[in-house]
Each structure stands twice: as C-alpha cells, then as structure tokens.
Amino acid sequence: MQTASLLFLNTYSAFMYTGNRLDTGLEQHLNVKMRRSPSSVLPCLQCKGKADDILRFGRGLRQVKPIKACPGFVKEYKLAFNLLGTPGIEPSFASAEPSDKEDDELHGVLFTLTRLDWEKVARTEGVGLAYSLEEVVVNTYQGSKLQAVTLRTKPGPLRAPFGKDIQPSEGYLDLLIQGAEYYNLNKEYKDKLRSIRPNPAVLVNTKNMYRFLGINVSN
C-alpha cells in the first residue's frame, strides 16, 4: 500500500504532508536533509477531490495523478524568484522563502499524492540539487492546520546572489496566475501576482513555449 502525501503548490512551489510526522525515509531516498521547524501534533486534512486535477498538475510533463486538492497558505512566508534559470528564456523559477514580515502569506494548493508521485515531482523539480526541503505549517482555507515541507532554493551557485529576486518570464507568471484563478486563491494574493512585472530581457514567447510543452493549468 502506497503512502499518501500532500503537495502544496504555489504554481510549482511545493509542500508535502505525510501525517503527523514527516517521512524521514523520503529524505534518505532523495539524499537530502530537511530544515526542521518546532514539532507539533496537527489534525489530518480533509479535502474534496476533482477528477480533472490530473490534467492540471504538470500535464504531459510528470504524469502525476493527484488524489485530492484544496487551497491553503503558510504564514510568514513569501514567493521569491531566486532560483536561476536560463537567461533570455526563463531567467528564474519560484521558491518559498521565509519572510520577516508577520503579515506575509504564501498561498497555494494542497494536492494529495501517492509517495511514488511525490518522488517523481521531487526529481523533476531538482530536490537535492536546486531545492532543499524545509518544514512548515500549512493553514487550509477550511481552517485546518498541518505540518508539511516546502521547496526552497538551496544556497549555492543556482541561488540568485545578494538575496535578490530575478524577474521571471511572462509565460511563467501566467502559469502562476492560471493556478491562482482556477483554485480561487485569496483575491489580494491574486492581485499581488498580477502586479509582478515580467522580465524584459526574455527573448522568446514563453507563453507559447509552455503551451507547446503542454504545461498549463486551465485547460
């Protein structure tokens, strides 16, 4: 029997839930180490699933089949664009980063996944190479709380220097907004996403690029 995990997406930023304790076997399997937050016992999450969520999670890229989905947020975290990409094409990728502002919230969607599907996502996202796992507490829109892990850009050559963000492409931002719209995330948060300006140095139409690759949320 496979272990069910919860993956929290702020369009490709992720949180995983494995019950009231984190799955240390996954750390060993992926050869990574989690940053730990203070432990606590939190209730399990109850969400309603959608059959078509299969098409809305990296369709054609990972062949992952989420079991359930519901929106949530992490307090005192923010969306950052500090994972270096390819200049002129996709300059940066998203990361979940701690914030020193008490009113900051990182919103996204919790997907229930099998352990095998989570491992697939972790490999395709570059966990251990580009991202590290960091433990957080997720608040669902339904009022539940649970412990999870998020993907945070690792220190090193792939992290943008001097603590700065690098603007992503228009196509990447469009994926973020598509996901936020489809899952009806907090209006203030959606407005914040729309206010982000795309990188002017991108030389290709990344909206068409992602569409060609079959990476989309809304259809």
Side-chain angles (χ1 to χ4, degrees), residues 78-212:
K78 63 182 179 180
L79 176 66
F81 298 99
N82 58 12
L83 177 60
L84 297 178
T86 304
I89 300 176
E90 190 53 78
S92 64
F93 297 97
S95 172
E97 294 289 332
S99 173
D100 56 6
K101 297 180 180 179
E102 292 185 359
D103 58 345
D104 268 351
E105 294 177 348
L106 177 61
H107 289 249
V109 182
L110 282 158
F111 290 98
T112 306
L113 302 175
T114 65
R115 174 170 171 153
L116 289 178
D117 276 348
W118 161 248
E119 290 176 355
K120 190 182 298 184
V121 172
R123 291 192 188 95
T124 57
E125 289 295 318
V127 172
L129 176 65
Y131 289 109
S132 59
L133 300 178
E134 182 161 316
E135 189 174 353
V136 293
V137 175
V138 178
N139 301 265
T140 74
Y141 284 9
Q142 297 173 335
S144 300
K145 290 187 177 182
L146 54 102
Q147 284 185 307
V149 293
T150 182
L151 301 186
R152 182 182 179 187
T153 302
K154 289 186 64 174
L158 294 180
R159 188 180 180 93
F162 310 116
K164 294 184 177 181
D165 279 9
I166 296 176
Q167 293 165 274
S169 73
E170 183 180 9
Y172 193 77
L173 285 171
D174 187 58
L175 290 176
L176 291 170
I177 295 168
Q178 281 186 48
E181 285 287 354
Y182 180 74
Y183 289 103
N184 197 26
L185 298 189
N186 175 279
K187 181 182 183 302
E188 182 179 347
Y189 192 74
K190 289 188 288 187
D191 290 343
K192 187 176 180 179
L193 289 177
R194 293 190 187 96
S195 72
I196 300 172
R197 294 185 177 182
N199 197 310
V202 172
L203 304 176
V204 300
N205 187 322
T206 50
K207 279 190 176 182
N208 288 342
M209 179 182 75
Y210 286 125
R211 199 172 294 124
F212 175 77

